[in-house]
């Protein structure tokens, strides 16, 4: 039995001005009595989460299609006209390799042009960070990129950017939704283009962006000495292939091996289950290539090239995937040391990380007397912090545990292109010192403590899944743990209610962050456990961070084992396995 409210939406689509292919798809589901699929397709409208609009492609109000995209775009047009009255509004558009991404990008361009806006559309697929750069470079008021990042192939999405090149934050995100919700019929969407308003972007923008990336280089001498560093790169069928090899070449690297089986952009991602460099399986071909040529460094970018995963040889000489926390700690340490050596640290510099990212980065920043700010999960909040401090403090770099990094502020979103270049440069510096990147990481551990993180995700699909996730969060709020892995919980932060309570003193402080459905527990021994429903996927995520002192490289295995046991006990205590 289909709920009346859902049936009403279905009827509106079947009776409305929708194309025959859309109606045929809905009728097919009705004929096959696929009530669960219909409920999931229509029980809500696609909303802007931490990553904008994102959903499974298909017919329905909760699906990514020309109509949901059209209404979002028309709502954005209306909001832009309100915000910039009397101005000729300019918008930039890019898209990734996914199925229908080019089609959706063209539909968006048509709607913006029909609304008498100046549209700058990339002529072919491009990395998301280049879109962020183009907005700033061209002085645009807004921008969109059609992508679903690292989601499975059934998904597509639509990220919305503001005039600073960052993804929209409050109040704009909610105000855009409000404008979209005012549109009661697709007949209100201006689908008929005005071609004269659309301008194509190509190699000139690539050149401007790559010049900025090149300006980030710190250690040219090390690259000259180690120019033949063996690098394996995979774009995992995504947009990274358009710029990463060229940027590495321009930095001075002469021995880059592209994983050819994954070099052709393909929205079906034929060689992987998930096009996500966080997944070991997605890195298999790159690791095989690395073993074959005895590489120094492996790097792989996700479909829209805003995130990068890496692998390096560990202390036993075996390739090991680094997680986002480890790579982030390496990068922040590298940047801060370089700024210190160059005499550029004046006391007004800062770095940024998210609340679920390793506190090792804070320890590193403290050792250089550099301020570290924390934001909610999502790079739009890091960009917001930069905007807030512009002209007062200087941004060096920032990152989050989910493989996203941003060095310099000419892009205002995570940027795997510049990250790949700086990671390769960092590997060259390490090799110049007779070290591997892994040994460089262990050195950081001996200075600041050995931090180890684990991410556990539970996928809960559809309407029922969303309700289960909400119930899990409600239960944890009602019954917080008092002891985790034998250590007392001493602090609870509830980002939804913007409170942090010290359970030892009873003191409660207000958190100066936007409300977000995240719970965080700190224990007496320095462990940190965070629970957070994903804003872009039907998942609830648990982030676990533990740490111990590391006296020397020789103690690495023993301390590693101790940390693994502690993580295992946390998983058991919180019933996460």
């Amino acid at each position: 039995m289909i709920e009346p409210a859902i049936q009403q939406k279905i009827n509106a689509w079947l009776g409305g001005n929708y194309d025959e292919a859309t109606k045929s798809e809905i009728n097919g589901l009705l004929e096959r009595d696929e009530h669960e699929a219909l409920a999931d397709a229509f029980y809500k409208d696609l909303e802007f989460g931490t990553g904008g609009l994102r959903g499974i492609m298909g017919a329905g109000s909760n699906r990514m299609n020309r109509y949901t995209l059209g209404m979002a775009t028309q709502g954005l047009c209306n909001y832009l006209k309100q915000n910039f009255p009397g101005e000729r509004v300019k918008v930039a558009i890019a898209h990734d390799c996914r199925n229908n991404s080019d089609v959706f990008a063209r539909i968006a361009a048509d709607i913006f042009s029909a609304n008498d806006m100046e549209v700058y559309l990339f002529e072919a697929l491009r990395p998301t960070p280049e879109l962020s750069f183009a907005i700033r470079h061209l002085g645009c008021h807004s921008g969109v990129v059609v992508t679903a990042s690292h989601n499975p192939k059934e998904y597509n999405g639509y990220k919305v950017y503001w005039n600073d090149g960052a993804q929209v934050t409050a109040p704009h995100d909610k105000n855009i939704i409000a404008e979209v919700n005012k549109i009661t019929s697709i007949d209100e969407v201006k689908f008929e283009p005005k071609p004269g308003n659309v301008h194509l972007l190509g190699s000139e923008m690539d050149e401007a962006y790559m010049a900025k990336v090149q300006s980030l280089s710190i250690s040219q001498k090390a690259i000259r000495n180690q120019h033949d560093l063996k690098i394996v790169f995979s774009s995992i069928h995504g947009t990274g292939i358009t710029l990463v090899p060229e940027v590495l070449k321009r930095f001075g690297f002469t021995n880059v091996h592209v994983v050819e089986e994954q070099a052709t952009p393909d929205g079906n991602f034929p060689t992987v289950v998930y096009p996500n460099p966080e997944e070991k399986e997605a890195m298999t071909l790159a690791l095989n290539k690395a073993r074959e040529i005895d590489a120094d460094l492996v790097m792989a970018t996700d479909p829209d090239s805003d995130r990068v995963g890496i692998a390096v040889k560990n202390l036993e000489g075996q390739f090991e995937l680094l997680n986002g926390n480890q790579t982030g700690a390496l990068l922040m340490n590298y940047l801060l040391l370089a700024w210190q050596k160059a005499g550029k640290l004046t006391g007004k510099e800062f770095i940024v990380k998210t609340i679920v990212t390793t506190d090792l980065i804070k320890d590193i920043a403290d050792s250089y007397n550099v301020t570290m700010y924390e934001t909610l999960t999502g790079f739009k909040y890091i960009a917001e912090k930069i905007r807030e401090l512009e002209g007062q403090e200087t941004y060096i770099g920032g990152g989050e545990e989910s493989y996203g990094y941003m060095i310099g502020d000419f892009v205002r979103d995570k940027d795997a292109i510049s990250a790949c270049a700086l990671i390769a440069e960092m590997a060259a510096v390490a090799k110049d010192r007779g070290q591997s990147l892994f040994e460089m990481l262990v050195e950081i551990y001996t200075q600041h403590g050995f931090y180890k993180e684990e991410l556990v995700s539970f996928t809960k699909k559809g309407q029922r899944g969303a309700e289960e996730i909400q119930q899990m969060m409600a239960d944890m709020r009602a019954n917080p743990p008092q002891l985790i892995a034998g250590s007392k919980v001493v602090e609870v932060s509830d980002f939804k209610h913007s409170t942090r309570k010290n359970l030892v003193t009873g003191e409660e402080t207000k958190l100066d962050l936007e409300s977000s459905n995240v719970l965080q527990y700190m224990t007496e021994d320095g462990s940190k456990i965070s629970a957070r429903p994903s804003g872009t996927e039907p998942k609830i995520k648990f982030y676990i961070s533990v740490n111990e002192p590391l006296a020397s490289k020789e103690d690495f295995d023993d301390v590693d084992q101790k940390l693994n046991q502690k993580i295992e006990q946390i998983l058991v205590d919180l019933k996460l396995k």
Side-chain angles (χ1 to χ4, degrees):
M1 183 72 181
I2 299 171
E3 288 178 24
I6 292 172
Q7 187 63 59
Q8 196 177 345
K9 273 192 171 182
I10 292 169
N11 294 343
W13 279 58
L14 289 174
N17 194 16
Y18 295 83
D19 62 66
E20 287 309 312
T22 297
K23 292 178 181 180
S24 175
E25 187 180 331
I26 297 166
N27 280 320
L29 291 169
L30 285 166
E31 286 161 16
R32 295 190 298 275
D33 289 329
E34 293 189 37
H35 291 177
E36 199 172 327
L38 280 164
D40 194 47
F42 284 98
Y43 85 94
K44 65 172 185 174
D45 295 337
L46 274 187
E47 298 167 357
F48 286 97
T50 55
L53 197 67
R54 193 179 296 186
I56 294 168
M57 288 179 278
S61 62
N62 189 33
R63 293 286 183 256
M64 185 69 182
N65 51 60
R66 67 178 278 115
Y67 302 108
T68 51
L69 178 140
M71 292 172 89
T73 306
Q74 188 61 55
L76 176 57
C77 287
N78 295 348
Y79 187 65
L80 286 167
K81 285 177 180 176
Q82 288 170 24
N83 266 264
F84 304 104
E87 292 185 47
R88 176 74 160 163
V89 175
K90 298 198 289 186
V91 180
I93 304 174
H95 69 82
D96 71 2
C97 61
R98 287 180 176 270
N99 296 330
N100 298 315
S101 280
D102 55 344
V103 175
F104 289 149
R106 176 48 78 173
I107 292 167
D110 288 349
I111 294 166
F112 283 121
S113 74
N115 280 272
D116 289 317
M117 294 180 179
E118 211 73 47
V119 183
Y120 296 91
L121 173 68
F122 277 95
E123 62 187 6
L125 79 170
R126 286 296 190 281
T128 287
E130 190 176 356
L131 182 274
S132 173
F133 171 78
I135 291 168
R136 296 175 62 78
H137 189 72
L138 296 167
C140 290
H141 300 80
S142 181
V144 297
V145 60
V146 179
T147 178
S149 187
H150 57 281
N151 279 54
K153 65 182 179 182
E154 296 81 15
Y155 284 77
N156 215 322
Y158 177 98
K159 294 181 190 174
V160 179
Y161 290 76
W162 206 239
N163 58 4
D164 63 340
Q167 288 185 54
V168 289
T169 52
H172 301 307
D173 51 359
K174 291 179 178 62
N175 290 347
I176 292 166
I177 292 167
E179 286 302 322
V180 173
N181 291 341
K182 286 179 191 174
I183 300 169
T184 56
S185 164
I186 56 159
D187 298 333
E188 296 172 54
V189 181
K190 298 177 182 178
F191 283 110
E192 286 302 314
K194 293 183 180 175
N197 289 339
V198 180
H199 316 281
L200 295 181
L201 297 177
S203 59
E204 276 185 34
M205 190 57 65
D206 298 338
E207 289 298 329
Y209 168 70
M210 286 192 288
K212 280 288 189 184
V213 174
Q214 272 183 272
S215 73
L216 296 172
S217 182
I218 300 161
S219 310
Q220 279 295 301
K221 186 181 176 190
I223 294 175
R224 282 195 296 274
N225 293 344
Q226 305 296 336
H227 66 89
D228 59 348
L229 187 83
K230 285 184 194 169
I231 300 169
V232 170
F233 170 70
S234 173
S235 56
I236 317 183
H237 304 290
T239 59
I241 198 67
T242 61
L243 292 182
V244 173
E246 181 60 26
V247 163
L248 291 173
K249 181 181 168 187
R250 292 184 185 201
F251 260 60
F253 294 103
T254 58
N255 199 1
V256 178
H257 301 257
V258 171
V259 178
E260 292 300 336
E261 303 96 312
Q262 297 178 324
T264 303
D266 189 336
N268 292 316
F269 309 111
T271 65
V272 296
V273 178
Y274 297 108
N276 183 354
E278 288 183 76
E279 304 281 348
K280 189 174 184 180
E281 177 269 335
M283 303 285 279
T284 302
L285 291 176
L287 287 168
N288 289 346
K289 183 87 173 171
R291 291 185 196 101
E292 180 192 316
I293 67 166
D294 191 30
D296 297 292
L297 174 65
V298 182
M299 297 188 289
T301 50
D302 67 342
D304 69 324
S305 302
D306 60 357
R307 302 183 319 124
V308 55
I310 75 169
V312 295
K313 285 180 187 172
N314 61 20
L315 299 179
E316 279 75 50
Q318 302 299 313
F319 279 101
E320 185 170 318
L321 298 173
L322 297 192
N323 63 39
N325 289 300
Q326 292 170 311
T327 305
L330 275 165
L331 273 170
M332 293 308 113
N333 189 67
Y334 177 64
L335 292 169
L336 291 173
L337 180 60
W339 278 60
Q340 186 189 63
K341 280 184 175 175
K344 288 167 67 179
L345 294 182
T346 66
K348 288 193 172 182
E349 292 72 32
F350 70 98
I351 64 169
V352 194
K353 76 173 189 71
T354 66
I355 56 174
V356 296
T357 302
T358 181
D359 287 332
L360 173 57
I361 290 174
K362 181 176 181 356
D363 291 349
I364 291 167
D366 286 348
S367 72
Y368 288 98
N369 292 316
V370 169
T371 305
M372 188 218 72
Y373 293 102
E374 270 196 327
T375 70
L376 295 175
T377 305
F379 244 82
K380 61 183 183 180
Y381 297 113
I382 293 178
E384 188 177 49
K385 180 57 72 175
I386 297 169
R387 183 167 68 242
E388 188 187 305
L389 296 171
E390 215 145 20
Q392 302 162 53
E393 297 180 32
T394 304
Y395 172 80
I396 294 176
E400 60 182 8
E401 48 68 46
S402 58
Y403 294 59
Y405 318 101
M406 187 173 96
I407 300 137
D409 64 0
F410 58 88
V411 165
R412 296 294 170 93
D413 203 355
K414 47 190 180 285
D415 182 354
I417 311 302
S418 59
C420 280
L422 268 292
I423 290 165
E425 180 173 293
M426 192 164 58
V429 169
K431 194 166 186 181
D432 217 32
R433 283 166 39 180
Q435 279 185 316
S436 67
L437 265 187
F438 198 87
E439 286 171 320
M440 192 182 261
L441 180 63
V442 173
E443 192 178 90
I444 292 170
Y445 289 156
T446 59
Q447 292 166 355
H448 306 289
F450 187 166
Y451 280 75
K452 188 151 196 171
E453 280 78 25
E454 181 91 9
L455 171 63
V456 183
S457 293
F458 296 97
T459 299
K460 307 273 186 183
K461 290 186 177 177
Q463 186 176 5
R464 194 176 304 154
E467 289 164 0
E468 281 179 43
I469 288 170
Q470 292 309 314
Q471 190 58 51
M472 287 172 81
M473 293 298 288
D475 291 345
M476 283 186 287
R477 282 192 171 89
N479 305 295
Q482 294 180 359
L483 206 67
I484 302 175
S487 185
K488 261 198 298 189
V489 176
V490 294
E491 191 177 84
V492 179
S493 298
D494 187 340
F495 292 87
K496 186 176 183 178
H497 299 117
S498 301
T499 57
R500 175 169 287 150
K501 187 167 186 181
N502 185 315
L503 302 185
V504 179
T505 64
E507 185 189 0
E508 199 168 288
T509 53
K510 188 90 174 147
L511 294 169
D512 187 25
L513 290 171
E514 190 181 321
S515 174
S516 181
N517 193 12
V518 181
L519 275 172
Q520 200 167 74
Y521 307 116
M522 292 292 294
T523 66
E524 206 165 32
D525 68 356
S527 299
K528 181 170 81 172
I529 299 96
S530 310
R532 172 185 165 264
S534 171
T536 55
E537 299 170 274
K539 285 182 178 180
I540 182 167
K541 298 181 177 183
F542 293 88
Y543 306 80
I544 297 162
S545 177
V546 296
N547 66 86
E548 288 280 342
L550 180 65
S552 69
K553 190 166 92 169
E554 287 67 39
D555 297 331
F556 180 86
D557 288 340
D558 289 342
V559 177
D560 189 39
Q561 192 176 350
K562 189 176 177 182
L563 292 171
N564 285 335
Q565 287 167 353
K566 194 184 278 191
I567 288 170
E568 194 67 20
Q569 192 57 53
I570 290 171
L571 294 174
V572 170
D573 286 1
L574 294 179
K575 297 182 174 60
L576 299 179
K577 63 175 299 178

